[in-house]
Amino acid sequence: MRKSISPLGDTELEILHHVWELGEATVADVQERIMQDRKVAYTTVMTIMRNLNKKGYLDYDKRGVTYHYRPAQSADKVKQNLVSTFLNKVFKGNAGALVQNLVEAEGISDKDRKEIEQIIRKM
């Protein structure tokens, strides 16, 4: 069986973004936000949030019958880990190749390209 490039699926990341934005959220809070874009079952969101807890991305406490989830890791830490994993798996740790591909990518705006150049110059 092949391993995925990312330890997180698309819906897991989507849910994490909602919890990061809210700071704390119930399953219903997250489902309501996702339902603005597409239909998703309450039980699906609940299962994914439980899995994110088991993976160490969310913490929770129970108040009455309701679980209140909060980030167990900061957005920055998770993003840095995901980028590091991507860099190692796709570019074999070669950050220069990653940046070159990013800068040369079709569809990247001139504004983004200039921003990348400025970041590199500051370093």
Side-chain angles (χ1 to χ4, degrees):
M1 178 180 250
R2 303 187 105 206
K3 278 192 166 186
S4 173
I5 289 175
S6 172
L8 294 167
D10 291 346
T11 305
E12 288 177 318
L13 276 170
E14 179 182 17
I15 288 171
L16 277 176
H17 279 285
H18 289 303
V19 177
W20 286 325
E21 289 168 10
L22 293 168
E24 179 180 279
T26 64
V27 173
D29 294 333
V30 173
Q31 182 201 24
E32 181 181 312
R33 285 176 145 232
I34 294 173
M35 292 285 283
Q36 293 173 7
D37 297 321
R38 62 185 171 86
K39 290 190 176 208
V40 64
Y42 179 91
T43 54
T44 300
V45 176
M46 179 180 64
T47 299
I48 293 170
M49 290 178 80
R50 280 187 190 157
N51 290 342
L52 287 168
N53 169 255
K54 289 176 187 172
K55 289 181 175 183
Y57 292 100
L58 293 178
D59 286 329
Y60 70 87
D61 60 85
K62 189 175 179 184
R63 298 180 202 156
V65 296
T66 306
Y67 289 83
H68 292 258
Y69 290 86
R70 62 193 172 284
Q73 300 179 36
S74 71
D76 287 342
K77 180 180 178 186
V78 172
K79 289 174 189 177
Q80 287 168 355
N81 288 339
L82 289 172
V83 168
S84 178
T85 299
F86 180 78
L87 174 67
N88 290 325
K89 286 186 177 184
V90 177
F91 294 95
K92 296 184 178 180
N94 185 340
L98 170 65
V99 173
Q100 181 178 351
N101 273 268
L102 188 61
V103 172
E104 292 176 352
E106 290 183 31
I108 191 169
S109 70
D110 287 338
K111 179 184 175 224
D112 286 341
R113 208 176 260 116
K114 287 177 185 173
E115 194 173 317
I116 291 167
E117 289 172 5
Q118 288 176 352
I119 291 168
I120 292 170
R121 278 192 206 110
K122 284 181 184 177
M123 295 174 82

